Amino acid sequence: MTLIELPKLPYAYDALEPYIDAKTMEIHHTKHHQAYLTNLKAIPDVDLTLSIEDLLIKDTRQAVQNQGGGVFNHNLFWLMMKPKGGGKPTGELLEAIEKKFASFEKFQEDFTKAALTQFGSGWAWLVKNKIDGQLSILQKPNQNHPDIQINTAILGIDVWEHAYYLKFQNRRADYIKDFWNVVNWDFCSAQYAKTK
Ligand code: MN3
């Protein structure tokens, strides 16, 4: 994925209504995500020929990690949601979740807790370890990426207030509850299948 342009959303800003409102989606994409990209490109000597993943792994400067992490996380976030999403994954990903967390419902509970208890701005992630294939849930502050040197991101939720404040104000729990209705499990399954 090129670092030059902001990736377009694969659906309209209002497509995730009534769960995530159009205004939040538009501002989140055109202002917040765009700002991370603009700020990243403004950092001296950033190698924009690299993929965002390679850039984050090779260039460990804090400014690159902050802005580049914002770019990476949001690039994925839009794809991890879709209109008429939700439900459960199928196939290998569902099996892996049930094996690791006992049931899909228990996984949802654990992931929800991670998202809810991330203090301040940050993300919760379901990741797959690239070496042993194990699933785990991570909490990350700020725009820290989900340790992509060792992990493939399967599902992530942005819990910065900018992701929900217009519709939900301080009610992060309600935003997380609604998020489950827009999860794109097809994309998550494809992420899971990336590393064997
Ligand atoms: Mn965000």
Side-chain angles (χ1 to χ4, degrees):
M1 195 177 283
T2 173
L3 273 173
I4 305 306
E5 279 183 69
L6 192 69
K8 287 196 170 27
L9 265 55
Y11 42 76
Y13 289 126
D14 64 359
L16 305 182
E17 297 261 12
Y19 304 111
I20 301 183
D21 63 290
K23 194 72 186 166
T24 295
M25 289 298 293
E26 184 180 355
I27 292 173
H28 201 170
H29 183 237
T30 63
K31 305 296 184 195
H32 294 276
H33 190 181
Q34 178 67 64
Y36 295 119
L37 182 59
T38 302
N39 294 340
L40 177 66
K41 286 159 74 174
I43 297 170
D45 305 319
V46 166
D47 187 352
L48 295 173
T49 67
L50 296 175
S51 70
I52 187 66
E53 291 87 347
D54 288 344
L55 178 67
L56 286 169
I57 290 168
K58 287 179 183 165
D59 192 333
T60 57
R61 288 179 291 168
Q62 191 62 54
V64 172
Q65 295 298 309
N66 291 344
Q67 306 298 343
V71 170
F72 173 84
N73 293 340
H74 289 87
N75 283 356
L76 277 177
F77 185 53
W78 311 128
L79 302 176
M80 288 168 166
M81 301 186 287
K82 69 170 184 180
K84 300 192 176 73
K88 280 185 183 190
T90 54
E92 284 188 352
L93 177 55
L94 180 60
E95 282 170 31
I97 286 173
E98 289 176 341
K99 192 172 164 210
K100 178 73 186 187
F101 301 98
S103 68
F104 178 75
E105 290 67 30
K106 181 64 168 58
F107 154 72
Q108 268 192 314
E109 201 179 294
D110 290 357
F111 185 95
T112 295
K113 191 177 172 195
L116 197 55
T117 61
Q118 165 56 39
F119 182 73
S121 298
W123 294 72
W125 296 95
L126 173 67
V127 299
K128 180 184 183 185
N129 185 284
K130 289 177 183 174
I131 308 300
D132 64 14
Q134 286 293 309
L135 292 177
S136 54
I137 292 171
L138 300 180
Q139 289 179 310
K140 288 288 174 184
N142 307 314
Q143 292 297 351
N144 293 10
H145 62 72
D147 302 329
I148 59 174
Q149 303 90 335
I150 55 163
N151 292 323
T152 301
I154 308 296
L155 176 66
I157 182 170
D158 184 346
V159 295
W160 284 58
E161 282 187 344
H162 69 227
Y164 60 88
Y165 201 85
L166 284 182
K167 177 163 188 251
F168 297 97
Q169 292 81 52
N170 62 317
R171 291 172 284 115
R172 187 189 288 188
D174 291 345
Y175 158 66
I176 299 165
K177 196 169 164 220
D178 275 7
F179 171 77
W180 290 113
N181 293 293
V182 295
V183 172
N184 183 351
W185 287 114
D186 294 333
F187 180 80
C188 299
S189 292
Q191 287 292 100
Y192 183 79
K194 264 185 168 179
T195 48
K196 279 296 170 194

